């Protein structure tokens, strides 16, 4: 049997246009996200390249062999200083090259006497400490070597006469190797003779901006706290705020929906809570600060948390959801002798998981991204949240590059993506019950 259906004229065209526009907006909204993620993996030259490059270049491991044959064998400190000059000086001179690691091997009479290794994350962190300029000299490394030791920027393994036989690896003709070879040829900083320079791809070095971020954040703050500390502060503030919103907002919504019988009083309270939304946040900044100062809570995490313990919109959402719940279950619980708290805990909460999820997400977003209030009330870096720490990072242009800033942005965005991906269905269900659409 053929089913007869009536189709409006132009229905297919409207559907195609609607889907095309939706797809276009999705793609456009993802462009900044993809660009930020790609930029966090790039080196400095790729970020500033024109025309722009979307894909990051794969960093290379540069392996340099230095021969000391025919020279008198000296102590380990002499060779370590020579290895550091062979690493830091040419790397700083060719900072725009995509380098992920430099390995310097010292050879004497065919035997390996030392091996030095410096990763890209260590170099980018210590560059301004060891080689802030491109004016190099022999005595500079005498001053900088203790800094390299203290910060553990490079590793050095001294083998001496116990080293094994080392075979030459040959010369590479790639761009980075050529730049290193030209530097060694035009300078006399290295005591030994450079035998060979080999260059190999080092894929994992594209994540150097993430590996160095914690060290750079410590260097940028006065108290030496890393990004992990600020991330933890944001988690604590956000978690405690969400719990307080669910507790106080849920109880207030339950009271408005089930305990207050006077409709006029109920409407008046709802309007009062909604009226708080009309007060601009900036107008509350000074009163809130004065209140926290009187409570001696300035420069504590509690000063950031307390202003967000109960919002009028949260109470309104809870009441709207609770109004949809069957009254018979509440009455049955009361007949059975259950207290109001037990009714709320054992009956209302299990049926209200969607609205609790919606409120959690609606609380998480502004609290996690809040910047102005934590900046005002948190004086010391120990109580900074992640947004305040990122603002401090971007003001440290001398030690923080663009790829590090992009990496910090990606890290701050990860919790938001996790929340949206895991709670999407519950958010839609809770929003449909509360009547909030769009």
């Amino acid at each position: 049997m053929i089913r007869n259906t009536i189709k409006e004229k132009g229905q297919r065209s409207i559907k195609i246009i609607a889907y095309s526009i939706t797809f276009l907006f999705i793609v456009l909204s993802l462009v900044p996200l993809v660009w930020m993620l790609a930029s966090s993996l790039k080196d400095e030259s790729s970020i500033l390249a024109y025309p722009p490059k979307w894909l990051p270049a794969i960093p290379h491991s540069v392996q340099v062999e230095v021969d000391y044959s025919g020279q008198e064998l000296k102590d380990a400190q002499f060779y370590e200083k020579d290895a550091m000059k062979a690493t830091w000086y040419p790397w700083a001179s060719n900072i725009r090259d995509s380098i992920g690691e430099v390995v310097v091997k010292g050879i004497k009479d065919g035997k390996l006497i030392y091996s030095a290794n410096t990763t890209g994350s260590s170099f980018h962190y210590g560059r301004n400490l060891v080689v802030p300029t491109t004016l190099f000299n022999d005595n500079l490394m005498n001053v900088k070597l203790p800094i390299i030791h203290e910060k553990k920027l490079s590793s050095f393994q001294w083998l001496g006469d116990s080293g094994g036989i080392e075979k030459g690896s040959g010369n590479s003709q790639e761009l980075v190797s050529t730049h290193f070879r030209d530097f060694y040829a035009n300078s006399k900083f290295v005591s030994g003779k450079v035998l060979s320079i080999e260059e190999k791809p080092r894929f994992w070095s594209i994540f150097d901006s993430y590996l160095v971020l914690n060290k750079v954040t410590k260097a940028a703050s006065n108290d030496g706290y890393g990004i992990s500390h600020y991330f933890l502060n944001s988690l604590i503030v956000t978690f405690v705020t969400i719990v307080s919103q669910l507790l106080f907002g849920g109880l207030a919504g339950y009271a408005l929906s089930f305990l207050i019988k006077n409709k006029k009083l109920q409407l008046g309270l709802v309007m009062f809570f909604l009226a708080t939304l009309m007060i601009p946040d900036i107008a509350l900044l000074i009163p809130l600060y004065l209140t926290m100062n009187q409570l001696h809570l300035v420069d504590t995490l509690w000063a950031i948390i307390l202003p967000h313990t109960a919002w009028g919109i949260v109470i309104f959402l809870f009441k709207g959801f609770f109004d949809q719940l069957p009254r018979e279950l509440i009455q049955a619980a009361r007949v059975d002798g259950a207290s109001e708290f037990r009714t709320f805990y054992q009956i209302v909460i299990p049926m209200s998981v969607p609205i609790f999820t919606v409120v959690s997400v609606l609380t998480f977003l502004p609290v996690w991204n809040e910047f102005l209030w934590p900046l005002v009330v948190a004086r010391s870096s120990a109580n900074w949240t992640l947004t305040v720490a990122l603002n401090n990072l971007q003001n440290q242009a001398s030690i923080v590059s663009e790829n590090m800033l992009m990496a910090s942005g990606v890290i701050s965005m990860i919790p938001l993506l996790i929340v949206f991906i895991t709670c999407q269905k519950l958010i839609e269900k809770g929003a449909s019950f509360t009547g909030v659409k769009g």
Side-chain angles (χ1 to χ4, degrees):
M1 180 178 179
I2 300 176
R3 179 179 297 178
N4 295 323
T5 58
I6 299 176
K7 293 184 178 180
E8 296 183 7
K9 186 177 181 180
Q11 182 178 0
R12 179 175 297 178
S13 300
I14 294 176
K15 185 178 293 186
I16 293 174
I17 294 174
Y19 279 114
S20 300
I21 293 175
T22 302
F23 178 76
L24 177 63
F25 274 99
I26 291 175
V27 172
L28 291 177
S29 63
L30 289 177
V31 168
L33 174 63
V34 175
W35 178 258
M36 181 172 64
L37 180 59
S39 297
S40 69
L41 304 176
K42 297 177 184 176
D43 55 71
E44 295 182 34
S45 59
S46 298
I47 292 179
L48 302 176
Y50 184 83
K53 297 180 180 179
W54 281 91
L55 297 178
I58 302 301
H60 287 76
S61 173
V62 181
Q63 300 184 10
V64 182
E65 293 186 348
V66 182
D67 187 23
Y68 298 92
S69 299
Q71 301 180 13
E72 181 183 354
L73 184 64
K74 300 182 180 180
D75 59 1
Q77 186 176 3
F78 170 83
Y79 292 107
E80 182 180 9
K81 186 172 67 174
D82 210 45
M84 295 303 103
K85 289 189 291 184
T87 299
W88 289 84
Y89 290 175
W91 198 339
S93 181
N94 300 282
I95 189 63
R96 295 296 183 184
D97 291 339
S98 181
I99 304 173
E101 177 189 47
V102 173
V103 178
V104 178
K105 295 181 179 180
I107 301 173
K108 181 175 173 56
D109 300 327
K111 289 186 176 181
L112 181 67
I113 59 174
Y114 73 79
S115 178
N117 180 280
T118 305
T119 61
S121 59
S122 296
F123 175 81
H124 292 300
Y125 166 61
R127 181 182 64 188
N128 289 281
L129 299 174
V130 180
V131 281
T133 67
T134 55
L135 299 176
F136 313 126
N137 56 64
D138 289 329
N139 296 325
L140 178 63
M141 194 52 65
N142 293 329
V143 180
K144 301 301 183 179
L145 193 59
I147 298 177
I148 295 176
H149 288 161
E150 179 186 356
K151 303 294 183 180
K152 298 180 180 179
L153 301 176
S154 299
S155 63
F156 179 82
Q157 183 181 12
W158 170 246
L159 301 174
D161 293 330
S162 61
I165 302 297
E166 183 72 14
K167 296 182 179 180
S169 56
N171 279 307
S172 174
Q173 301 301 321
E174 297 187 52
L175 181 63
V176 178
S177 299
T178 302
H179 288 169
F180 268 62
R181 191 177 300 108
D182 292 341
F183 181 89
Y184 294 134
N186 296 326
S187 61
K188 303 299 180 182
F189 298 123
V190 181
S191 300
K193 178 183 178 182
V194 177
L195 283 181
S196 63
I197 302 177
E198 186 180 8
E199 187 175 342
K200 298 179 180 178
R202 194 172 189 266
F203 175 79
W204 293 109
S205 289
I206 64 175
F207 299 105
D208 282 344
S209 56
Y210 292 90
L211 298 176
V212 74
L213 192 57
N214 199 56
K215 294 181 180 179
V216 170
T217 311
K218 288 182 179 180
S221 65
N222 297 328
D223 300 327
Y225 291 102
I227 196 171
S228 57
H229 177 83
Y230 305 125
F231 192 90
L232 180 61
N233 281 351
S234 290
L235 285 180
I236 293 173
V237 169
T238 306
F239 176 77
V240 176
T241 301
I242 290 174
V243 171
S244 65
Q245 290 281 7
L246 297 181
L247 178 62
F248 297 124
L251 289 174
Y254 177 82
L256 287 173
S257 186
F258 295 107
L259 300 182
I260 299 178
K261 304 301 182 182
N262 190 316
K263 296 297 183 181
K264 291 184 178 180
L265 177 60
Q266 187 181 96
L267 178 61
L269 291 174
V270 172
M271 296 304 296
F272 169 77
F273 291 128
L274 290 178
T276 60
L277 301 177
M278 294 185 292
I279 305 175
D281 292 339
I282 194 67
L284 298 174
L285 195 63
I286 295 178
L288 282 176
Y289 183 84
L290 294 176
T291 302
M292 295 303 151
N293 190 41
Q294 291 294 324
L295 295 174
H296 303 288
L297 293 177
V298 173
D299 201 21
T300 65
L301 293 181
W302 283 111
I304 305 175
I305 296 170
L306 288 179
H308 303 307
T309 51
W311 293 340
I313 185 61
V314 169
I315 297 173
F316 174 75
L317 291 176
F318 272 117
K319 181 188 180 301
F321 188 92
F322 293 158
D323 287 342
Q324 310 298 320
L325 299 180
R327 291 298 197 266
E328 294 79 7
L329 292 177
I330 307 301
Q331 294 295 337
R334 291 170 177 170
V335 170
D336 290 340
S339 64
E340 296 297 339
F341 284 103
R342 186 175 180 184
T343 303
F344 177 76
Y345 175 72
Q346 293 188 339
I347 296 179
V348 175
I349 290 180
M351 293 190 299
S352 306
V353 173
I355 188 58
F356 276 87
T357 305
V358 169
V359 169
S360 298
V361 174
L362 291 179
T363 304
F364 176 85
L365 293 178
V367 174
W368 181 265
N369 293 322
E370 188 178 30
F371 168 70
L372 183 58
W373 176 242
L375 176 67
V376 170
V377 80
R379 297 174 179 173
S380 63
S381 59
N383 295 306
W384 284 355
T385 56
L386 188 58
T387 53
V388 181
L390 297 188
N391 176 71
N392 182 63
L393 267 184
Q394 71 176 3
N395 294 329
Q396 305 290 331
S398 60
I399 61 174
V400 181
S401 57
E402 289 83 357
N403 55 355
M404 298 177 192
L405 290 176
M406 294 297 181
S408 64
V410 172
I411 291 176
S412 67
M413 187 182 59
I414 290 176
L416 300 174
L417 293 177
I418 293 176
V419 168
F420 271 110
I421 292 173
T422 57
C423 303
Q424 183 177 1
K425 291 184 178 179
L426 290 174
I427 292 172
E428 294 175 357
K429 186 177 180 181
S432 64
F433 270 95
T434 57
V436 179
K437 304 201 183 228

